[in-house]
């Protein structure tokens, strides 16, 4: 899931200040689960900015252009008359809506990462979308997302009692976790093997996937 | 196991000859001057075979380490170990610096990860980590042994450099650390310099492992110039603790009001701890030597060498 966090309200005030009428768009998927841009949060925002609001809705999945088109159709005129859309989505949603409506789109949320939800309010980054998944070799622990140096041949000298030098030794060292998992699985050869430098060429060029 | 590359550096030659070697450490700082480094280099020259020149240690932005590595060799005639962290440079910049180092006659590179930028003095910097330190060793092996870069492009001229890596015998758990060292020795590390050690048992345990890997190992020692440094080390360098007795003796020295006497007391305490420590390593283990990180405390080298070598 894409994990989002609401911007501080003062920041939202500042951002929306130059605009008269605002149309607010929420997200029925990730931002609903994160409680950052679902029905409740959209209502909350509408209440707080009541004198500026022209209308609002929650799109089922704003990162899907088809659903955005479908769900925003009935609001077309209100949106056209608004000065800007305030989008309570991840960055993908904001751009889809900007593209579809042609309006100035204001992000009410900050997009944090691709993460796992433990429970509401506790999210952990788990994947950096590196386009070359090696979780099969690393005991199901991603070193790209979970080692702050993204080492492919860890651990570095910064682990102390299995904790990482980044973040004051509170978080687990991803490479110690990988070592533990591979030991459990009796696959230490996967740990010891050398992983050559990554080829970033394809990743840089692959910003779309078209079949 | 890969074939051993030739010993290009005096450090590597002495190690291969089976001598017990000493290396020192020089730390360029936030300055444009090299006077202090040169003073330190001259002071340590009679006692060490080579001196490491640190590369933005603790992620502090200091003077580039290649220039002092070169100037110390040129002006002092002391061989250097050019430390290179992979935190601040991508593979292009690493390659450029290695070729420049080869041109300048640098004979040793220590390939290390470096502390993360968030620990340093530019916490908001974007860390690079294009290669990791193992991949950097791999790149160095290609340059040195095959004369090509990572993409197989031919390098004109030779890169006669020996490659060192760092290791932490204090690491807990130790096994992943050992496996990592093993990985690097297979792809081209010539020698190891360890993190600071105070514990002889951990030191010996680690040395047994590196002996199995057949990789010459220099044990890191850090003579403590003052109580302040000892205390800082104990409190703020995670995973390393200064033995209680040593710390206590250092505290007592601090109380001596006379500056010269205090210095003598500090030196005595250091000698009492480190001379037997180094002797023990030398007599009872297969360590290749010790890496003495006596930064700005070069005066301890003379008695230390006299007592241990
Ligand atoms: S290796 Fe990590 S970053 Fe890459 S795809 Fe797999 S989980 Fe994502
Ligand atoms: S301590 Fe572990 S997780 Fe942290 S940077 Fe080093 S290898 Fe990565």
């Amino acid at each position: 899931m894409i994990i989002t966090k609401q911007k501080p309200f003062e920041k939202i005030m500042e951002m929306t200040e130059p605009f008269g009428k605002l149309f607010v768009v929420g997200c029925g998927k990730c931002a609903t689960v994160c409680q950052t841009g679902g029905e409740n949060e959209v209502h909350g925002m509408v209440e707080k900015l009541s004198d500026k609001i022209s209308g609002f809705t929650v799109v089922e999945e704003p990162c899907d252009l088809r659903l955005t088109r479908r769900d925003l159709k009935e609001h077309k005129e209100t949106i056209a008359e608004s000065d800007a859309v305030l989008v309570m989505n991840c960055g993908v949603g904001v751009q889809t809506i900007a593209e579809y409506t042609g309006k100035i789109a204001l992000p009410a949320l900050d997009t944090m990462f691709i993460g796992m939800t433990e429970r509401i309010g506790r999210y952990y980054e788990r994947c950096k979308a590196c386009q070359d998944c090696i979780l099969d070799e690393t005991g199901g622990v991603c070193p790209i997302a979970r080692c702050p140096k993204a080492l492919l041949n860890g651990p570095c000298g910064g682990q102390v009692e299995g904790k990482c030098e980044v973040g004051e030794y509170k978080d687990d060292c991803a490479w110690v976790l990988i070592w533990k998992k591979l030991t459990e699985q009796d696959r230490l050869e996967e740990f010891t093997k050398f992983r050559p430098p990554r080829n970033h060429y394809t990743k840089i060029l692959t910003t779309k996937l078209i079949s | 196991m890969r074939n051993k590359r030739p010993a290009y550096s005096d450090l590597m030659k002495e190690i291969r000859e089976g001598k017990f070697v000493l290396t020192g450490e020089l730390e360029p700082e936030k300055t444009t001057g090299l006077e202090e480094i040169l003073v330190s280099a001259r002071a340590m020259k009679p006692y060490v075979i080579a001196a490491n020149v640190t590369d933005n240690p603790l992620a502090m932005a200091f003077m580039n380490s290649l220039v002092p590595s070169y100037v110390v060799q040129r002006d002092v005639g002391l061989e250097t170990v050019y430390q290179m962290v992979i935190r601040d440079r991508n593979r292009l910049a690493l390659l450029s610096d290695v070729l420049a180092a080869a041109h300048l006659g640098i004979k040793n590179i220590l390939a290390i990860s470096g502390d993360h930028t968030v620990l340093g003095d530019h916490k908001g910097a974007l860390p690079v980590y294009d290669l990791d330190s193992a991949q950097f060793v791999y790149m160095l092996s290609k340059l040195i042994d095959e004369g090509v870069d990572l993409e197989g492009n031919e390098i004109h001229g030779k890169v006669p450099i020996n490659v060192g890596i760092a290791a932490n015998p204090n690491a807990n758990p130790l096994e992943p650390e050992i496996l990592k060292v093993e990985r690097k020795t297979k792809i081209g590390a010539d020698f190891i310099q360890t993190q600071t050690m105070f514990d002889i048992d951990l030191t010996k345990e680690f040395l047994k492992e590196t002996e199995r890997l057949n990789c010459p190992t220099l044990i890191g020692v850090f003579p403590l110039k003052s109580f302040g440094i000892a205390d800082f080390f104990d409190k703020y360098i995670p995973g390393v603790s200064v033995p209680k007795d040593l710390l206590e003796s250092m505290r007592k020295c601090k109380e001596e009001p006379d500056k010269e006497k205090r210095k003598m007391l500090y030196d005595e305490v250091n000698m009492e701890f480190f001379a037997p420590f180094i002797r023990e390593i030398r007599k009872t283990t297969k360590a290749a030597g010790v890496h003495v990180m006596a930064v700005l405390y070069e005066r301890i080298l003379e008695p230390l060498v006299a007592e241990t070598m």
Side-chain angles (χ1 to χ4, degrees):
Chain A
M1 186 172 72
I2 308 284
I3 308 298
T4 48
K5 197 176 136 202
Q6 202 173 105
K7 283 182 183 286
F9 191 66
E10 309 78 71
K11 180 80 202 161
I12 296 175
M13 290 281 282
E14 205 181 293
M15 192 164 54
T16 51
E17 205 269 328
F19 304 99
K21 285 292 165 201
L22 296 172
F23 189 88
V24 182
V25 185
C27 156
K29 277 274 151 56
C30 304
T32 291
V33 180
C34 283
Q35 300 186 352
T36 50
E39 289 261 355
N40 291 341
E41 294 74 40
V42 167
H43 287 145
M45 189 62 74
V46 166
E47 234 166 71
K48 281 193 191 158
L49 295 171
S50 55
D51 49 334
K52 297 187 111 177
I53 303 298
S54 59
F56 60 90
T57 190
V58 174
V59 172
E60 184 186 330
E61 228 175 298
C63 54
D64 187 328
L65 186 57
R66 298 164 302 174
L67 298 176
T68 296
R69 210 183 274 136
R70 183 195 74 193
D71 291 354
L72 288 187
K73 209 177 226 156
E74 55 175 309
H75 303 283
K76 218 173 174 174
E77 277 162 29
T78 330
I79 293 173
E81 285 159 15
S82 305
D83 299 300
V85 272
L86 180 63
V87 192
M88 301 177 75
N89 298 179
C90 73
V92 182
V94 178
Q95 293 179 66
T96 315
I97 284 158
E99 194 173 317
Y100 173 66
T101 63
K103 283 281 165 188
I104 293 173
L106 309 172
L109 311 183
D110 285 320
T111 306
M112 305 306 286
F113 44 74
I114 305 179
M116 174 192 87
T117 310
E118 188 180 78
R119 59 178 162 79
I120 301 306
R122 290 180 84 94
Y123 310 105
Y124 301 89
E125 182 170 31
R126 286 295 185 256
C127 174
K128 291 263 195 204
C130 76
Q131 303 189 349
D132 184 10
C133 196
I134 52 163
L135 285 171
D136 57 317
E137 302 174 12
T138 57
V141 175
C142 171
I144 318 262
R146 297 172 73 176
C147 163
K149 298 179 185 173
L151 306 178
L152 288 176
N153 298 284
C156 74
Q159 71 93 358
V160 174
E161 281 158 31
K163 300 288 174 186
C164 173
E165 69 178 20
V166 173
E168 288 161 358
Y169 303 94
K170 288 194 197 93
D171 300 322
D172 292 327
C173 163
W175 274 99
V176 171
L177 288 181
I178 292 169
W179 166 73
K180 280 187 188 151
K181 279 287 170 208
L182 291 172
T183 306
E184 270 168 40
Q185 296 169 358
D186 200 13
R187 293 201 303 154
L188 265 185
E189 67 285 353
E190 293 291 350
F191 184 90
T192 322
K193 83 176 193 200
F194 168 67
R195 290 178 183 82
R198 283 215 148 179
N199 180 354
H200 294 287
Y201 181 82
T202 0
K203 163 95 177 150
I204 291 161
L205 292 185
T206 312
T207 55
K208 51 185 182 290
L209 202 56
I210 292 164
S211 50
Chain B
M1 248 335 174
R2 65 188 186 93
N3 286 332
K4 262 192 197 166
R5 73 169 59 97
Y8 296 115
S9 66
D10 290 344
L11 169 63
M12 209 56 223
K13 282 178 194 146
E14 294 220 338
I15 291 175
R16 296 256 172 95
E17 282 164 17
K19 290 190 183 145
F20 189 81
V21 297
L22 248 67
T23 50
E25 185 146 302
L26 296 165
E27 194 173 301
E29 291 191 9
K30 221 179 269 292
T31 169
T32 57
L34 282 178
E35 299 76 19
E36 279 186 20
I37 291 268
L38 290 172
V39 168
S40 294
R42 288 198 177 97
M44 71 173 68
K45 191 188 170 197
Y47 312 107
V48 298
I49 177 75
N52 287 43
V53 183
T54 57
D55 180 14
N56 292 351
L58 279 169
M60 311 276 263
F62 291 156
M63 183 198 278
N64 158 314
S65 59
L66 177 56
V67 173
S69 295
Y70 165 65
V71 174
V72 165
Q73 291 199 159
R74 187 194 64 190
D75 293 2
V76 182
L78 173 62
E79 185 170 285
T80 50
V81 179
Y82 170 33
Q83 295 199 177
M84 291 183 78
V85 299
I86 46 86
R87 175 195 58 228
D88 306 331
R89 281 166 285 203
N90 70 5
R91 59 191 84 176
L92 278 77
L94 287 168
L95 176 92
S96 302
D97 286 355
V98 172
L99 297 186
H103 173 77
L104 293 174
I106 301 298
K107 298 286 184 228
N108 305 285
I109 287 177
L110 187 78
I112 49 182
S113 304
D115 300 296
H116 198 281
T117 45
V118 300
L119 305 181
D121 67 354
H122 286 68
K123 296 188 192 302
L126 179 70
V128 179
Y129 299 118
D130 174 21
L131 301 184
D132 63 27
S133 56
Q135 293 164 343
F136 183 35
V137 171
Y138 174 74
M139 179 180 114
L140 285 166
S141 294
K142 292 213 165 247
L143 291 170
I144 299 165
D145 307 328
E146 297 169 38
V148 295
D149 66 15
L150 279 172
E151 298 292 334
N153 302 304
E154 193 190 329
I155 305 293
H156 299 284
K158 300 242 172 297
V159 184
I161 288 176
N162 288 113
V163 180
I165 56 168
N168 184 10
N170 300 299
N172 176 20
L174 185 62
E175 193 188 338
E177 183 73 10
I178 304 282
L179 295 175
K180 172 188 85 178
V181 170
E182 180 170 357
R183 208 193 267 139
K184 287 184 191 172
T185 56
K186 282 190 184 143
I187 51 176
D190 292 312
F191 64 93
I192 300 169
Q193 287 177 315
T194 79
Q195 204 4 321
T196 302
M197 296 307 293
F198 290 102
D199 185 320
I200 195 74
D201 296 331
L202 285 180
T203 305
K204 287 183 178 173
E205 194 184 325
F206 182 77
L207 283 166
K208 256 186 228 143
E209 299 288 345
T210 56
E211 197 190 320
R212 175 179 62 81
L213 301 175
N214 206 4
C215 191
T217 305
L218 281 76
I219 296 297
V221 295
F222 194 102
L224 304 157
K225 193 183 172 191
S226 67
F227 172 72
I229 289 178
D231 193 47
F232 176 85
F233 215 96
D234 193 53
K235 284 203 181 106
Y236 301 107
I237 308 288
V240 187
S241 50
V242 179
K244 281 214 172 56
D245 293 351
L246 178 57
L247 200 62
E248 210 30 60
S249 311
M250 294 290 291
R251 192 194 309 275
K252 284 199 191 113
C253 304
K254 196 184 90 176
E255 280 152 22
E256 168 58 51
D258 183 79
K259 199 178 162 201
E260 284 310 308
K261 276 195 199 145
R262 194 165 62 232
K263 273 188 173 176
M264 276 172 56
L265 288 175
Y266 276 140
D267 290 0
E268 272 170 29
V269 169
N270 272 289
M271 288 301 296
E272 267 165 36
F273 183 85
F274 288 106
F277 188 81
I278 295 175
R279 258 197 312 265
E280 175 90 5
I281 293 173
R282 187 167 176 214
K283 296 263 161 66
T284 68
T285 76
K286 297 247 165 70
V290 283
H291 175 54
V292 191
M293 291 170 260
V295 178
L296 300 180
Y297 188 28
E298 290 81 19
R299 69 166 190 269
I300 198 69
L301 289 168
E302 186 190 351
L304 211 50
V305 168
E307 282 287 312
T308 55
M309 305 296 274

